[in-house]
Amino acid sequence: SILFGLCHFHSIIMDRKLFGPMGFNMKYPFSIGDLRDSAKCLQNYMDNSGGGKVPWEDLKYIFGEIMYGGHIVNDFDRLVANEYLNFFMKDELLDETEMYPYAEDEKGVSFMSPSPTIFEKYIEHIDINIINDTPIAFGLHSNAEIDFRTQQSVAMFKTILDLQPRESVSGGGAGSVQQIVEAVLNDMLEKFGEKLFDVDDLVRNLDEQGPYQNVFIQEMDVMNVLLHEIRRSIKELQLGFAGELTMSDAMEGLMMSLYNNNVPHTWAKLAWPSLRSLSSWTVNFLDRILQLEEWTNNPAELPKVTWLSGLIYPRSFLTAICQVSAQKNQWELDKLITMTDVTKKMKIDAITAPSRDGAYIIGLHMQGARWDIGTVMVEKSRPKEMFSPMPVINVRAVTLEKAGGQGGTYQCPVYATEARGPTWIFNAQLKTKSPAARWVLAGVALITDVS
């Protein structure tokens, strides 16, 4: 029975990779060798146990931290593997138990482990009871398959588009590459040609430059660098079209990116993590600039609600919250962490005053589950609802002692994009009635920039 559970765990770990970032943040080289070596360790442990109690904790450590865990370098991915082992490796496995994690709410979707039997009976049991592939088997919501299939389709059509023949850059047709790109260049210059932040003047007029002011000034400095690069590269490409400059590889790359509605590489490396198309990215860029312009009207005060998704460096803003609290309460900065309290307010206008013990933020979306504003808890997603907008959240700093030991809380990772991985920002503390492990296996996360 334990070997059956181990084999099931191996199959789940192997196939969870199909769900992309919602499955694992990184791709890992799990193989049949991991299963073979784990089975040998299991055999040795059972031979030495003398028929006593099964050493579940030892087995889970060997499987989750050494055999399979040796491949895993991301903390959240390691947590997923360990939660699977916590679900599978228990006394109930020796009799009959549900092998689909937290599938009680799903009608007609179940897979029970058989009573200990011979190999042929296990194969027969699997053939009879596992008919279709389903995300429920992994602890994921059925929406995860929609996302997985959508990403496959997007990748396929992107490949097809890249394989299409290109018209001549100087072709005379109404839809030639040059004419389309020139229209995009003119539109970009119209939107961003005059945008620039006078940071030096702003700093001179500030009576006091605190942590929050430092964050917004840093944002404006980066925006100025990005705006300068956009104008420079656009004017260079226009000179290339006019025949005054020789078309370089960089100019060719910029031209094709604009033609394909992609964010050019030279812009993207100076900007924020994003999976958006160029047209959507441009709208988002303007919104980010607008937030900074509104702040410059009253730079001495923190906005009532900060659009966290509109910051290039959101971690700096969270650090500023801790710095302000440390100064106010005479706390040690390195012993503070952020805590989140989700309000019932969905709109910025519903907030009448700034937070008294932190800062209000907005702009997060939940993936893998939904936020129930009535119960103020994490709940199961609705069918075909891929993202659930979050209400205004109060982020405050607390000491490590006060933060520990909170029950009924899911430590929800917050990422900048749906690609997750290296775009992690911080963990939000969300209330839940279900075990936190359910949402870990469901790949539940908050995303700041939903494309």
Side-chain angles (χ1 to χ4, degrees), residues 6-191:
L6 177 60
C7 291
H8 185 75
F9 165 73
H10 175 79
S11 66
I12 291 294
I13 285 289
M14 290 292 289
D15 284 353
R16 187 180 172 97
K17 295 185 289 186
L18 295 174
F19 296 94
M22 186 175 280
F24 287 117
N25 283 289
M26 300 176 64
K27 294 183 179 180
Y28 299 108
F30 301 127
S31 68
I32 193 68
D34 299 316
L35 176 60
R36 181 196 62 228
D37 296 340
S38 297
K40 287 181 179 178
C41 288
L42 172 62
Q43 183 67 52
N44 292 335
Y45 255 83
M46 299 312 295
D47 289 344
N48 297 325
S49 67
K53 188 177 180 181
V54 178
W56 292 117
E57 294 302 319
D58 291 350
L59 292 175
K60 287 189 287 188
Y61 183 84
I62 290 172
F63 302 154
E65 299 291 340
I66 301 174
M67 297 302 180
Y68 290 88
H71 297 296
I72 302 173
V73 296
N74 183 278
D75 290 341
F76 297 107
D77 294 342
R78 186 181 301 276
L79 181 60
V80 168
N82 286 330
E83 290 297 355
Y84 274 132
L85 289 169
N86 289 335
F87 187 84
F88 296 138
M89 300 293 154
K90 54 190 177 183
D91 289 334
E92 290 83 348
L93 183 63
L94 304 178
D95 186 15
E96 291 185 2
T97 187
E98 177 62 62
M99 300 301 287
Y100 285 179
Y102 306 101
E104 302 86 3
D105 299 340
E106 305 297 332
K107 295 180 180 179
V109 181
S110 176
F111 178 58
M112 304 295 293
S113 64
S115 299
T117 183
I118 61 175
F119 175 76
E120 288 74 15
K121 291 293 184 181
Y122 279 117
I123 298 299
E124 182 182 345
H125 178 80
I126 293 170
D127 290 339
I128 293 173
N129 292 280
I130 299 183
I131 302 172
N132 297 315
D133 293 335
T134 171
I136 308 301
F138 302 87
L140 297 164
H141 192 274
S142 55
N143 287 344
E145 185 169 11
I146 299 175
D147 183 68
F148 163 55
R149 300 298 181 190
T150 301
Q151 294 303 321
Q152 279 190 322
S153 300
V154 169
M156 180 185 69
F157 283 115
K158 184 177 184 300
T159 302
I160 293 174
L161 182 63
D162 290 341
L163 293 174
Q164 294 302 302
R166 306 299 184 195
E167 296 182 37
S168 171
V169 172
S170 58
S176 71
V177 174
Q178 179 172 334
Q179 288 180 328
I180 293 173
V181 173
E182 283 180 338
V184 176
L185 294 177
N186 292 333
D187 181 61
M188 295 294 289
L189 278 180
E190 183 179 344
K191 290 176 179 176

Side-chain angles (χ1 to χ4, degrees), residues 171-236:
S176 71
V177 174
Q178 179 172 334
Q179 288 180 328
I180 293 173
V181 173
E182 283 180 338
V184 176
L185 294 177
N186 292 333
D187 181 61
M188 295 294 289
L189 278 180
E190 183 179 344
K191 290 176 179 176
F192 301 108
E194 302 299 324
K195 298 288 185 181
L196 196 67
F197 293 102
D198 191 344
V199 179
D200 293 336
D201 182 65
L202 180 68
V203 171
R204 282 195 298 269
N205 293 327
L206 276 175
D207 294 329
E208 183 179 357
Q209 189 171 324
Y212 292 130
Q213 285 73 28
N214 290 334
V215 171
F216 284 107
I217 289 170
Q218 179 190 33
E219 291 286 320
M220 288 189 288
D221 283 334
V222 177
M223 283 292 189
N224 281 344
V225 173
L226 177 56
L227 288 166
H228 174 74
E229 171 58 24
I230 290 175
R231 286 194 290 265
R232 184 205 65 78
S233 58
I234 286 177
K235 291 177 180 177
E236 182 182 61

